[in-house]
Amino acid sequence: MQDAVGGTYFDGRSAGRHPVDVVLDEAAGELVLTGASLDAPQRWPLARLRAQGDHARRDALTLALHAPSNDESPRDTARLTLADSGMISRIRALLSLIHISEPTRLGMISY
């Protein structure tokens, strides 16, 4: 388990930005979010994470949770933004191992 890094959690219900501590638990395959404004720790399974490419900051990574489905449309309005470069690199590496890249998946479908 890696050390906690700071992040910003958007719950999707309010316009509030909530500071959280984020721990990458690779053994459990999840991100664990804790913070004063959260009732309990949130556990985000790595297999359900999708990086959001529509934000303007290049030095940050915004993640969303997706439900198992046949498409890639988001199912949860909550978002998590991270700015720690070490955590971002590790999450991107793990996600690339878990998910088939979108261009590859689309290429396979077009045959």
Side-chain angles (χ1 to χ4, degrees):
M1 200 169 344
Q2 292 188 346
D3 292 335
V5 300
T8 304
Y9 172 71
F10 301 88
D11 63 22
R13 294 181 301 270
S14 69
R17 297 167 25 140
H18 308 277
V20 293
D21 289 323
V22 181
V23 173
L24 173 59
D25 186 344
E26 290 188 47
E30 63 188 12
L31 291 178
V32 181
L33 288 62
T34 57
S37 62
L38 300 177
D39 294 333
Q42 297 223 356
R43 299 183 180 282
W44 286 29
L46 296 177
R48 290 186 50 210
L49 292 181
R50 299 296 185 275
Q52 303 298 291
D54 59 349
H55 63 89
R57 292 184 57 193
R58 294 280 182 210
D59 61 339
L61 176 64
T62 299
L63 300 165
L65 282 175
H66 288 252
S69 68
N70 292 329
D71 62 35
E72 288 294 316
S73 53
R75 301 291 188 233
D76 193 321
T77 56
R79 299 284 184 268
L80 172 65
T81 299
L82 300 168
D84 181 83
S85 60
M87 176 76 80
I88 290 170
S89 295
R90 188 65 191 140
I91 289 173
R92 284 190 171 140
L94 289 169
L95 292 182
S96 70
L97 295 173
I98 293 170
H99 305 294
I100 296 174
S101 69
E102 186 67 14
T104 301
R105 187 178 69 78
L106 291 175
M108 290 188 316
I109 292 171
S110 66
Y111 285 110

